[in-house]
Amino acid sequence: MLKRNLAHRIVIFSLLGMILFSLAVVFSVDYVRRGMNAQAAEDTLRIASDRMSTLHDQVRLMARDYNNWGDVYTAAKDTNIGFIADNYGITAINGDIFDGVVMFDGFFRTPIAWTKGQAREPSPSFLSQQTLSYIRQNIEHLDVSKRQTFDFVQNDEGQLSFLSASYLLPDTKEALGRAEFDPRTIAVISRKLRDAEMASIRSDLSLSRLKMSVQPDSQLQNLPLNGVDGQPEIFISWTPPKPGDRMIAKIAPIGAVISLTILALTALGTYLLTVNAKDLMARGQDAMRAARSDLLTGLPNRLALIEHIGRISRKPNSRFALILFDINGFKSVNDVIGHQGGDAVIQILAQRLRAIFNESIVICRVGGDEFVSVVHYDDDLRQRVLEVACQIKTALFEQVDFAGNRFHLTASFGFAIRTSSGETCEELLFQADHAMYDAKSSKADQPREYSNEMHLKWKMERRIELALREAITRREEFHIRYQPIIDAKSLRLVRVEALARWTSATMGDISPDIFIAVAERTALMDQLGLLIFEKVCEEVSGFSSLNVSINVSPNQLLSGEFASRIRDLARRFQVSPQRIQLELTEGIAIQNTDAVKSRLTEIGLIGFTTALDDFGSGFSSIGYLRQMPFDCLKIDKSLMSSDSGINGIDEVVKPIIALGHSLGKLVTAEGVETHEDMARLQEAGVDMMQGYFFGMPQTLRDLMTLYPLEVSLKAA
Ligand code: C2E
Ligand code: CA
Ligand code: CA
């Protein structure tokens, strides 16, 4: 949308630009053209007018000359027509200088005239009575002393004549004075405009059309020439020269080429700009999208989550919940197949999660193995959350095969429902995180809903974590207690299990179930594990024939230098590896992996023995047991209780013992609390037993008092 808008705007702006540019060019060229035309019109009018004046001037000069001729004046006074005809009329008859003359009033009772090609005898006036009377009126105002003339033109059916009238006067000043008292004779000289003169004007002004008419022609340029009555008698008209138009005609092709080139370049520029703009916008949108999606999985990321929640929060009465889930023990996956492998597994999981997406379910990746689903639902939201969590579980729990390893992953789920108090995204995330954390720490496989108690619990665990961190550096708050493990047949002490104890300076005694779990979750376990291992080696080094079992977290086993570290510690305290058995619980995330197998083999080669701890709780699989080179199998104490009416030992423990034996493993039963338990287990053929019945976890010194003579070299 945005993309199209910008491109549209560019196109519109450049179109507007092109139109404005074209208009500006057209208007300026037209302005110049009009200017040139107007200037040319003005010039031709002036020149034509000058030419007409020049022609008329010749007639006026003739009139001033002939009408102020003393001899002619005298001849007129004497009515000597012959003299006038020979000296004045003859010039008109010849027609070289002028071609007509009329004399009237004064010394003549009737007007007389001579015209070109006529006889010497004067003829009647070729000017009408009306013309003569106009002449009389106009001439009256002339200054006689200045010998002024009255000039006008006359049109005789298209033939233009220039006329000049004045009184016939004597030539000297004194005679002029005397003539004041003589009757006034008027003489009019007329000269026709000749075709040649017309042609010369036309060619000099390079006019295409030149004509005369009584009415001005609006299409043409008109020069009025005044008649005897002072009104325009005739118009000389011509097509005004159009140099501007000619210029346009000349430059038009070049101009058109230049304009088209400019327009084409602008159009090309616009096109490129549009393409660029589209590209830029597309890239901008890609960047926006990239900023909101997780690089590894392409799922929406935390930013997208915050924006999505912002959007749905704004809708009135919008109901939604946040489910936060985290893969359990994902660190082991990375340890086994490396980070790239871990990434690939996350991608496989994301691919499956994607299938759950719909309008009301959005799933985002917010951390390494941490995801958040926003569930938007109007009805029973809590029920909907459980359904969605179930869908997610189904997707995640399906086994993942990668590079020869098979992973059975689980996840812990916590959720928070947005209440009417309108929690922010951060608050909801915080709540869902606590709920998830709670589910994880209590190994719950059902989603946990956030409650205030969880927050308190979380705070408590934070305190524990901080205290644990410090305690690990100080070391002295940790102690080891030892619990006897007894041979089932001889009831002699075979070995002891070392169990860690922590008495925090600030919080007092904290159960290993709690602090071991905190250490595992906060990556403190490697350090703590080695610390315990060291303490145990130190303590048992004084009892040369005492065998000891030490608990090891699955993560510890997979961390790179574990085997060499414990080998070095055992060597340092001169405790033979053969005396130490490592108890391992099944990694929640890992089964059947080559990595676990090879680590166990590595440990075995050093001389340590191994036991699979807590068998029968949680995820234990017989396939796993079959493949892994454990020396011993420890049956979980939970199977010992005879809750729910069934006899745990006979119905569950006995077959496990048989299975262990069939796989060539020694079998230890944990949680032996009563004599009856002992008897049944002996009957079931167990190899070793451990439990309160034989002794509580205690100091080595106390244990030696309890089993003073039993410390023997009996191998496990
Ligand atoms: P675990 O390895 O299964 O240890 C046996 C637990 O069962 C011990 O609890 C022990 O006191 C208890 N127990 C022994 N006999 C009986 C019995 O007859 N009945 C009942 N109900 N319980 C009995 P503890 O010492 O509280 O340790 C709890 C868990 O903490 C251990 O379970 C082990 O998983 C973990 N843990 C303890 N010390 C360490 C350690 O040094 N390293 C690691 N990684 N984990 C440890
Ligand atoms: Ca154990
Ligand atoms: Ca156990």
Side-chain angles (χ1 to χ4, degrees):
M1 186 65 188
L2 205 62
K3 191 162 57 174
R4 237 196 277 147
N5 272 351
L6 185 70
H8 274 175
R9 251 182 270 159
I10 289 175
V11 170
I12 288 169
F13 276 123
S14 46
L15 261 178
L16 264 174
M18 284 196 263
I19 291 170
L20 284 178
F21 170 77
S22 309
L23 283 177
V25 168
V26 167
F27 277 115
S28 350
V29 169
D30 192 55
Y31 180 77
V32 172
R33 180 188 68 87
R34 281 165 194 271
M36 285 174 78
N37 287 350
Q39 186 62 49
E42 206 177 287
D43 288 349
T44 40
L45 187 66
R46 188 172 36 78
I47 294 169
S49 168
D50 285 354
R51 292 292 285 269
M52 288 300 155
S53 300
T54 308
L55 288 173
H56 215 142
D57 282 351
Q58 291 173 14
V59 181
R60 182 169 45 248
L61 285 176
M62 286 306 117
R64 282 178 72 119
D65 191 17
Y66 277 75
N67 295 354
N68 294 288
W69 187 355
D71 292 343
V72 170
Y73 179 79
T74 312
K77 200 172 177 178
D78 300 343
T79 330
N80 184 353
I81 300 300
F83 181 86
I84 294 172
D86 289 343
N87 295 287
Y88 196 152
I90 192 72
T91 313
I93 293 165
N94 287 340
D96 297 330
I97 307 174
F98 50 86
D99 43 34
V101 60
V102 178
M103 290 181 187
F104 61 99
D105 292 358
F107 306 124
F108 304 102
R109 232 175 291 124
T110 54
I112 56 167
W114 289 271
T115 50
K116 185 180 175 182
Q118 298 283 299
R120 240 179 104 250
E121 290 307 307
S123 40
S125 166
F126 53 83
L127 297 172
S128 67
Q129 279 304 324
Q130 197 186 7
T131 304
L132 297 183
S133 89
Y134 273 124
I135 294 171
R136 272 184 209 108
Q137 284 167 27
N138 280 292
I139 212 164
E140 257 175 36
H141 312 294
L142 299 182
D143 187 348
V144 171
S145 65
K146 288 183 179 160
R147 301 179 192 278
Q148 284 180 330
T149 57
F150 165 58
D151 308 318
F152 61 95
V153 300
Q154 179 154 303
N155 173 28
D156 293 309
E157 291 163 1
Q159 173 60 64
L160 174 70
S161 298
F162 301 101
L163 295 103
S164 207
S166 70
Y167 292 118
L168 267 186
L169 297 170
D171 49 1
T172 61
K173 252 201 172 135
E174 309 81 70
L176 194 61
R178 288 195 298 276
E180 287 276 315
F181 310 102
D182 292 336
R184 291 280 169 94
T185 303
I186 298 169
V188 184
I189 285 181
S190 154
R191 182 185 183 282
K192 286 193 169 65
L193 173 69
R194 296 168 192 171
D195 289 346
E197 287 163 348
M198 203 56 172
S200 140
I201 292 174
R202 182 185 295 123
S203 76
D204 287 358
L205 292 180
S206 43
L207 301 175
S208 56
R209 266 167 66 196
L210 186 69
K211 65 164 190 174
M212 275 177 288
S213 50
V214 267
Q215 288 300 326
D217 187 334
S218 63
Q219 302 293 315
L220 304 177
Q221 207 175 356
N222 302 290
L223 173 67
L225 297 174
N226 287 345
V228 71
D229 56 358
Q231 299 300 313
E233 168 82 1
I234 195 162
F235 293 88
I236 301 188
S237 311
W238 62 89
T239 309
K242 298 262 171 71
D245 291 10
R246 280 205 303 279
M247 173 203 70
I248 294 290
K250 265 189 200 146
I251 65 164
I254 304 167
V257 169
I258 292 173
S259 301
L260 281 177
T261 310
I262 290 172
L263 289 181
L265 285 175
T266 314
L268 182 68
T270 307
Y271 171 73
L272 291 178
L273 212 64
T274 315
V275 169
N276 262 338
K278 278 185 187 163
D279 189 45
L280 211 68
M281 295 306 296
R283 265 192 265 165
Q285 281 180 338
D286 285 350
M288 290 257 291
R289 218 175 294 126
R292 280 153 187 77
S293 63
D294 173 51
L295 221 57
L296 180 65
T297 60
L299 289 177
N301 61 12
R302 185 177 280 268
L303 176 61
L305 171 76
I306 293 170
E307 289 179 351
H308 176 65
I309 290 182
R311 269 195 303 278
I312 57 178
S313 299
R314 280 193 289 275
K315 288 185 189 160
N317 306 323
S318 150
R319 285 175 49 76
F320 62 89
L322 246 63
I323 310 177
L324 195 144
F325 54 101
D326 181 288
I327 312 296
N328 293 325
F330 197 76
K331 184 177 178 296
S332 319
V333 177
N334 282 328
D335 286 337
V336 173
I337 52 173
H339 273 271
Q340 276 187 335
D343 285 353
V345 171
I346 290 286
Q347 281 172 328
I348 293 171
L349 299 181
Q351 192 62 34
R352 294 183 192 164
L353 292 174
R354 210 172 261 289
I356 302 171
F357 260 71
N358 66 29
E359 262 173 41
S360 60
I361 306 172
V362 171
I363 302 178
C364 313
R365 178 169 178 241
V366 294
D369 56 350
E370 203 172 272
F371 301 83
V372 168
S373 169
V374 184
V375 181
H376 192 204
Y377 199 63
D378 285 338
D379 286 339
D380 188 347
L381 184 57
R382 190 163 285 106
Q383 181 56 35
R384 183 76 186 131
V385 163
L386 296 178
E387 284 165 18
V388 172
C390 195
Q391 274 179 283
I392 294 174
K393 264 195 211 171
T394 313
L396 295 181
F397 290 13
E398 191 190 315
Q399 71 181 33
V400 178
D401 290 309
F402 184 81
N405 293 293
R406 175 165 295 175
F407 300 101
H408 288 273
L409 299 170
T410 58
S412 302
F413 292 78
F415 68 96
I417 290 180
R418 186 186 187 236
T419 62
S420 47
S421 47
E423 291 83 355
T424 64
C425 175
E426 289 305 323
E427 284 165 345
L428 286 170
L429 270 174
F430 177 85
Q431 294 182 357
D433 192 45
H434 278 358
M436 187 280 289
Y437 187 74
D438 192 75
K440 192 174 280 267
S441 59
S442 53
K443 298 198 165 73
D445 57 355
Q446 283 305 307
R448 285 272 162 98
E449 183 175 357
Y450 173 77
S451 66
N452 279 331
E453 296 76 60
M454 279 176 191
H455 185 47
L456 297 176
K457 197 172 155 193
W458 176 81
K459 269 182 157 165
M460 187 61 183
E461 292 205 358
R462 277 294 296 166
R463 270 186 68 198
I464 293 175
E465 185 197 329
L466 290 177
L468 188 63
R469 234 171 246 285
E470 243 176 62
I472 288 172
T473 52
R474 286 211 303 271
R475 301 171 70 93
E476 77 267 16
E477 290 182 3
F478 296 100
H479 315 281
I480 313 295
R481 293 294 173 261
Y482 299 87
Q483 189 176 29
I485 298 175
I486 303 298
D487 177 70
K489 290 198 185 95
S490 66
L491 297 183
R492 287 180 170 191
L493 180 72
V494 181
R495 53 172 55 247
V496 290
E497 178 176 359
L499 294 159
R501 297 290 177 263
W502 176 30
T503 308
S504 160
T506 50
M507 287 179 289
D509 284 345
I510 294 168
S511 151
D513 280 325
I514 294 174
F515 74 80
I516 295 290
V518 172
E520 281 177 341
R521 272 200 300 276
T522 54
L524 290 169
M525 198 58 229
D526 284 359
Q527 261 180 291
L528 179 60
L530 288 174
L531 189 157
I532 293 166
F533 197 92
E534 189 180 334
K535 279 192 186 252
V536 173
C537 285
E538 191 181 355
E539 287 183 14
V540 300
S541 63
F543 301 87
S544 60
S545 54
L546 183 66
N547 297 320
V548 66
S549 292
I550 302 177
N551 292 287
V552 171
S553 292
N555 291 347
Q556 271 179 279
L557 175 72
L558 292 169
S559 86
E561 289 159 344
F562 176 69
S564 60
R565 287 237 167 102
I566 57 170
R567 183 197 59 205
D568 294 348
L569 282 173
R571 195 176 287 168
R572 205 170 101 203
F573 293 99
Q574 296 181 330
V575 178
S576 150
Q578 280 77 13
R579 290 171 58 195
I580 300 176
Q581 184 161 77
L582 304 176
E583 292 191 5
L584 283 146
T585 48
E586 204 173 326
I588 319 169
I590 314 156
Q591 287 186 0
N592 193 19
T593 72
D594 294 344
V596 174
K597 208 167 163 181
S598 67
R599 288 294 158 82
L600 289 176
T601 311
E602 192 183 351
I603 286 168
L605 286 174
I606 298 171
F608 297 110
T609 54
T610 51
L612 177 59
D613 202 357
D614 298 345
F615 189 83
S617 74
F619 283 91
S620 327
S621 85
I622 292 158
Y624 185 69
L625 181 65
R626 199 188 297 275
Q627 294 214 358
M628 295 298 160
F630 288 109
D631 301 291
C632 179
L633 176 64
K634 288 187 84 174
I635 302 173
D636 193 66
K637 54 188 173 289
S638 63
L639 301 184
M640 230 44 70
S641 62
S642 45
D643 304 347
S644 65
I646 59 158
N647 188 321
I649 294 178
D650 287 349
E651 289 171 33
V652 185
V653 178
K654 202 173 172 180
I656 295 178
I657 295 170
L659 172 81
H661 285 162
S662 74
L663 295 172
K665 324 268 178 194
L666 287 170
V667 182
T668 304
E670 280 185 330
V672 184
E673 294 182 352
T674 62
H675 188 274
E676 199 198 339
D677 288 343
M678 179 188 76
R680 282 184 186 278
L681 286 164
Q682 281 176 319
E683 203 181 307
V686 79
D687 299 295
M688 283 155 286
M689 292 179 286
Q690 180 184 358
Y692 296 158
F693 183 70
F694 301 105
M696 301 290 285
Q698 52 199 290
T699 61
L700 267 187
R701 185 185 298 270
D702 291 347
L703 195 81
M704 287 307 118
T705 326
L706 197 63
Y707 290 92
L709 303 169
E710 309 294 344
V711 179
S712 72
L713 281 170
K714 191 160 184 170

